[in-house]
Amino acid sequence: MTPHISRKRSTLVIATAVAAGALLTAGLTTGASAQQDVSGNAAEASAASPMRLSASVRTGLIQDAETKTAATAEKIGLGAKEKLVVRDVVKDRDGTTHTRYERTYDGLPVLGGDLVVHTAKSGAVKGVSKATKATVKVRSTSAKLAPKAVAKAAESTAAKTGETKKADANAPRKVVWAAEGKPTLAFETVVTGTQKDGTPSELHVITDAATGKKLFQYQAVENGKGHSQYSGDVEVGSTKAGSGFELTDGGRGNHKTLDLNHGSSGGKLYTDADDTWGTGKPADTQTAAVDAAYGAGLTWDYYKDVHGRSGIKGDGKGATSRVHYGNNYVNAFWQDSCFCMTYGDGEGNAKPLTSIDVAAHEMTHGVTSATGNMEYSGESGGLNEATSDIFAAAVEFKANNAQDKGDYLVGEKIDINGDGTPLRYMDKPSKDGNSLDYWDTNAGNVDVHYSSGIANHFFYLLSEGSGAKEINGVKYDSPTKDGSKVEGIGREKAEKIWFKALTAYFTTTTDYAQARKDTVKAAGDLYGAGSAEVKAVEAAWTGVNVK
């Protein structure tokens, strides 16, 4: 039977830009679990869980925090030249707020200076999570190098590393680099162009403002009634427009789906005369749009229903999905700069990368950018990628779609390898031939799509436990580094622990050792400091050699 998406859900009926995210190359994942929810600590879980905040309430919390930045900076012991800039606020049901800030020093942005202030309902500061523990201070904010020379060097760096073709450096901005070692006056240059596989490039190059030495670099484009190709007949959000309809989801922040028509920029909003979209076949350009719109809707619903978050930034605003990028383009990505997910059509333009887990993976890159914002490089980059895989699995399970059942496989529908195998495996990541099952000292030097395996494996162990089992017809057999047996606590709890850590504790520089501490703390917040859930988190991290 030809997959068909039947949607009648128009609004007449129902009614920054640093990170981006690519799913694949060097790679891209709940609802029902094989594990039962064994906790009896419901009261503790609800007290520390995030509240559902309307856009107006969230705006009010941010505005309130903005009026108190000077007092907060003094309260947490920042220097006279340091100022705080509010980026996000999460409020727990017990009244605790977690306010995420960027930091400036003498008017300059501090990269790696982000922090989260945890404040009790009484107004007392309970703690601060900092990306750097160093004192932010530089001898002078006067640079020895000229910006033009810095830009030229950044273009050269991009060309030499092969990160960017047709490189074009934007004007460098002066910053304080604090993500590694002693804070240093530096320039940040964004080099745009295209990567080798055709993915857009936004390479950030950090250069010492005195010596011209490259301090760091990272890629900001993180590779994340209709008839669908992968999910059968599904509902997608559309809006009545004139005598027809447009693929704008009024029930989900006006999310829009655009046709790039094999181009790389712009895009045309999909319209239709009768509000029935696609045929289930890739030859119909609407089919990929249906899958993309459906995946975006499922992801929106997941974050709202499970975590109380309305939209990627928690502000109730929808993003944009763009399909038919390039020609034979085998990837998908998220970009903050356009607040959009973009999908290629795969080999032969026959396998669009628009399955549920791919869509959720890319949209989650946006959520990560708005919260923990882990740098897309080294161990923090692995955690960034894993977060997208983790919540992609969560969305897929919750969707409970008969033709794309939830699993701990990544990209199993899009046939990237050409042999029917998935892109990644969460129970034993090394089955893909590249990903890491366990942490070691070289983890920070591995491509982020492969070092993500450590956290993916942790999440599987925490959810389902070690050993052999079968879930939704898929067989798994998850090992541990030390041969220990790990008991899972159920995927739903594991999701909530990871989301709590992401939104309340992770920062731009979080590595695996810190992620262990943060998830233990998150589990303690939700289920109690001495709970079985905390012990399970510790056991799962030990199982992947993060001690």
Side-chain angles (χ1 to χ4, degrees):
M1 177 179 176
T2 300
H4 177 90
I5 282 192
S6 205
R7 117 155 261 285
K8 288 287 181 186
R9 192 182 148 192
S10 71
T11 51
L12 295 179
V13 181
I14 307 175
T16 325
V18 178
L23 153 75
L24 315 169
T25 46
L28 197 76
T29 50
T30 118
S33 172
Q35 293 288 337
Q36 296 296 314
D37 188 300
V38 296
S39 172
N41 300 328
E44 292 170 302
S46 62
S49 296
M51 292 178 63
R52 296 174 184 270
L53 301 178
S54 67
S56 60
V57 170
R58 178 179 177 275
T59 298
L61 289 171
I62 289 176
Q63 290 175 342
D64 182 59
E66 287 172 341
T67 65
K68 300 174 181 176
T69 53
T72 301
E74 183 177 2
K75 191 180 292 186
I76 64 175
L78 299 189
K81 292 186 177 183
E82 296 177 84
K83 295 187 184 302
L84 295 173
V85 180
V86 182
R87 192 156 69 84
D88 192 26
V89 177
V90 175
K91 187 172 184 177
D92 296 341
R93 295 178 186 178
D94 65 2
T96 301
T97 56
H98 309 275
T99 308
R100 190 174 294 275
Y101 298 92
E102 301 292 348
R103 198 180 338 182
T104 64
Y105 176 84
D106 203 11
L108 300 179
V110 180
L111 304 186
D114 54 300
L115 51 88
V116 186
V117 178
H118 314 289
T119 308
K121 185 176 182 180
S122 65
V125 174
K126 298 171 66 174
V128 183
S129 300
K130 294 182 178 181
T132 179
K133 302 212 172 19
T135 299
V136 175
K137 185 177 181 180
V138 294
R139 184 175 300 177
S140 171
T141 57
S142 296
K144 294 183 179 179
L145 298 179
K148 285 186 178 181
V150 172
K152 186 174 181 180
E155 288 182 350
S156 176
T157 294
K160 287 178 181 177
T161 59
E163 284 277 356
T164 307
K165 297 188 298 181
K166 301 178 182 177
D168 183 19
N170 296 334
R173 68 167 182 165
K174 198 159 44 172
V175 300
V176 174
W177 173 247
E180 294 179 328
K182 183 180 178 181
T184 305
L185 184 68
F187 281 105
E188 178 190 33
T189 310
V190 181
V191 184
T192 59
T194 57
Q195 299 179 49
K196 290 180 180 178
D197 67 350
T199 305
S201 177
E202 295 174 12
L203 184 68
H204 290 241
V205 181
I206 313 300
T207 307
D208 189 309
T211 66
K213 178 183 177 182
K214 186 186 77 173
L215 301 174
F216 192 75
Q217 72 178 55
Y218 70 91
Q219 178 56 254
V221 178
E222 303 160 11
N223 308 343
K225 184 183 197 164
H227 307 296
S228 76
Q229 183 168 349
Y230 302 115
S231 302
D233 292 351
V234 299
E235 284 193 347
V236 293
S238 65
T239 301
K240 185 78 169 102
S243 61
F245 299 84
E246 62 182 34
L247 213 47
T248 298
D249 194 339
R252 298 183 178 95
N254 290 322
H255 172 277
K256 298 181 184 299
T257 305
L258 308 183
D259 180 11
L260 287 173
N261 192 27
H262 303 296
S264 59
S265 62
K268 183 178 180 181
L269 179 65
Y270 273 96
T271 59
D272 188 81
D274 61 4
D275 205 21
T276 298
W277 307 81
T279 62
K281 299 292 186 181
D284 185 322
T285 66
Q286 286 189 356
T287 298
V290 167
D291 277 302
Y294 177 59
L298 291 175
T299 307
W300 176 286
D301 291 348
Y302 168 78
Y303 280 109
K304 186 173 183 179
D305 296 346
V306 177
H307 303 296
R309 188 175 186 87
S310 182
I312 287 174
K313 289 187 175 181
D315 58 3
K317 296 179 181 178
T320 299
S321 292
R322 307 188 305 173
V323 297
H324 304 305
Y325 175 88
N327 204 27
N328 299 312
Y329 178 68
V330 189
N331 216 328
F333 55 90
W334 163 270
Q335 282 180 286
D336 272 1
S337 55
C338 64
F339 205 60
C340 66
M341 292 82 71
T342 303
Y343 305 95
D345 286 333
E347 289 290 345
N349 292 327
K351 283 280 188 178
L353 279 74
T354 49
S355 60
I356 293 171
D357 55 357
V358 178
H361 175 105
E362 300 309 338
M363 196 161 166
T364 295
H365 273 303
V367 175
T368 297
S369 176
T371 55
N373 198 29
M374 295 84 78
E375 288 171 350
Y376 205 59
S377 178
E379 291 190 24
S380 59
L383 287 164
N384 188 315
E385 267 298 310
T387 297
S388 282
D389 282 351
I390 286 167
F391 289 121
V395 170
E396 192 177 75
F397 272 104
K398 183 177 183 294
N400 197 27
N401 182 283
Q403 296 196 31
D404 189 3
K405 294 195 177 205
D407 53 50
Y408 292 97
L409 309 174
V410 183
E412 73 281 357
K413 285 284 186 180
I414 56 177
D415 196 22
I416 280 293
N417 299 319
D419 58 5
T421 58
L423 180 63
R424 289 193 286 278
Y425 305 79
M426 299 182 80
D427 64 319
K428 189 177 181 183
S430 62
K431 284 195 289 187
D432 68 12
N434 293 294
S435 293
L436 303 183
D437 290 333
Y438 313 112
W439 182 88
D440 62 35
T441 55
N442 193 49
N445 298 319
V446 176
D447 185 282
V448 298
H449 297 89
Y450 303 148
S451 62
S452 64
I454 301 164
N456 282 347
H457 192 188
F458 158 80
F459 181 78
Y460 178 88
L461 289 171
L462 182 61
S463 299
E464 307 293 349
S466 58
K469 64 184 59 185
E470 184 172 327
I471 305 168
N472 283 347
V474 179
K475 293 181 179 180
Y476 303 96
D477 193 357
S478 192
T480 58
K481 176 68 172 177
D482 58 359
S484 61
K485 181 175 176 57
V486 174
E487 296 290 342
I489 60 172
R491 188 177 49 259
E492 291 182 359
K493 285 185 177 180
E495 293 169 24
K496 289 177 180 177
I497 290 169
W498 195 266
F499 185 80
K500 177 77 174 181
L502 172 70
T503 56
Y505 300 116
F506 286 0
T507 68
T508 53
T509 61
T510 298
D511 58 12
Y512 274 109
Q514 188 62 46
R516 175 179 172 128
K517 294 176 184 177
D518 290 344
T519 49
V520 166
K521 183 167 180 54
D525 290 345
L526 293 168
Y527 304 108
S531 63
E533 290 81 1
V534 167
K535 292 176 183 176
V537 170
E538 293 173 333
W541 278 124
T542 299
V544 297
N545 203 37
V546 178
K547 301 177 181 179

